[in-house]
Amino acid sequence: DGGITQSPKYLFRKEGQNVTLSCEQNLNHDAMYWYRQDPGQGLRLIYYSQIVNDFQKGDIAEGYSVSREKKESFPLTVTSAQKNPTAFYLCASSQGPGGGYTFGSGTRLTVV
Amino acid sequence: SQQGEEDPQALSIQEGENATMNCSYKTSINNLQWYRQNSGRGLVHLILIRSNEREKHSGRLRVTLDTSKKSSSLLITASRAADTASYFCATDARGAQKLVFGQGTRLTINP
């Protein structure tokens, strides 16, 4: 079945650590996106990529980094510079601009 | 930048009743989309309506779009307990190359 897979489902980070969230899709979609969701809130865009080896900052990119070396993969690194990283992180993909998004099931990150 | 604003923030109705949620936005759009999110899960795409369309149906869902008022509504008819979820509108603004999501409406269907 085609879809988008996020791992791990739950992740715990100590203060000062970098952690990487995985996002893989087998839908042959060109575009991929990372969103952050805080409790009871909407989605805020962190980074997005329309094509391999290219990506753009979203509204809240500070403290995060991404790479897009393969079409299927768009990992997100939450760096120690992100002071409030506890949140639910959602990855999505689409065929291109303007289309519907397919979302992964999310990664819940908690700082301990 | 949150473009879509949903109203109400929360809605609680009895099973079998109709549920209406509204979304307002600020700029010109190519299309507007509605998504559902069950608690602790990813979002699921429900329906997309283009800027030149006024109404669209999908099963028990009916979406309207009024570009002159920059608003959209999602109607769920004959609600079921399984419809309990948060519903988000998302706008594809012209030239933006990405969707902007609203804050969502939390819908509760009481048996």
Side-chain angles (χ1 to χ4, degrees):
Chain A
D1 287 337
I4 184 165
T5 302
Q6 289 187 243
S7 62
K9 190 174 178 66
Y10 299 97
L11 186 58
F12 298 91
R13 192 193 93 166
K14 294 182 179 179
E15 296 280 353
Q17 270 187 340
N18 293 353
V19 291
T20 298
L21 283 60
S22 172
C23 178
E24 303 276 334
Q25 54 101 357
N26 60 3
L27 299 165
N28 200 33
H29 283 173
D30 289 316
M32 298 186 75
Y33 312 84
W34 274 106
Y35 287 88
R36 169 181 171 142
Q37 186 177 34
D38 292 283
Q41 300 296 312
L43 279 66
R44 292 185 290 168
L45 183 64
I46 305 172
Y47 270 97
Y48 63 106
S49 167
Q50 298 290 353
I51 196 169
V52 175
N53 292 322
D54 189 38
F55 48 83
Q56 288 77 41
K57 292 182 179 180
D59 300 317
I60 56 166
E62 185 174 351
Y64 300 97
S65 66
V66 293
S67 63
R68 187 85 188 276
E69 297 176 359
K70 299 186 300 181
K71 188 175 185 177
E72 302 80 17
S73 179
F74 192 39
L76 173 74
T77 296
V78 184
T79 74
S80 57
Q82 171 51 240
K83 297 307 177 188
N84 184 23
T86 295
F88 189 50
Y89 290 86
L90 287 161
C91 180
S93 69
S94 70
Q95 186 58 50
Y101 286 11
T102 299
F103 279 85
S105 55
T107 292
R108 190 167 299 281
L109 174 63
T110 304
V111 173
V112 295
Chain B
S1 59
Q2 297 287 351
Q3 167 151 250
E5 295 289 337
E6 282 96 337
D7 169 60
Q9 289 188 329
L11 179 62
S12 181
I13 61 174
Q14 296 299 120
E15 195 167 17
E17 294 180 337
N18 295 342
T20 299
M21 289 158 272
N22 303 296
C23 170
S24 60
Y25 58 92
K26 297 176 182 174
T27 64
S28 295
I29 60 171
N30 295 313
N31 66 65
L32 184 144
Q33 303 176 28
W34 285 91
Y35 289 79
R36 183 186 73 232
Q37 182 182 35
N38 291 92
S39 182
R41 307 295 295 274
L43 278 71
V44 174
H45 181 259
L46 294 176
I47 197 164
L48 180 155
I49 186 165
R50 303 190 188 285
S51 60
N52 61 352
E53 296 175 312
R54 292 296 167 257
E55 188 170 311
K56 205 161 183 180
H57 297 255
S58 177
R60 293 183 297 112
L61 305 181
R62 174 183 160 231
V63 169
T64 61
L65 179 64
D66 187 334
T67 53
S68 66
K69 295 181 179 178
K70 291 185 168 58
S71 67
S72 174
S73 67
L74 170 67
L75 168 68
I76 302 174
T77 60
S79 63
R80 304 168 182 170
D83 295 329
T84 293
S86 292
Y87 292 82
F88 295 88
C89 68
T91 50
D92 174 35
R94 288 180 186 165
Q97 295 190 319
K98 58 191 183 293
L99 294 181
V100 177
F101 287 80
Q103 302 284 357
T105 292
R106 176 173 287 183
L107 175 65
T108 302
I109 309 300
N110 302 303

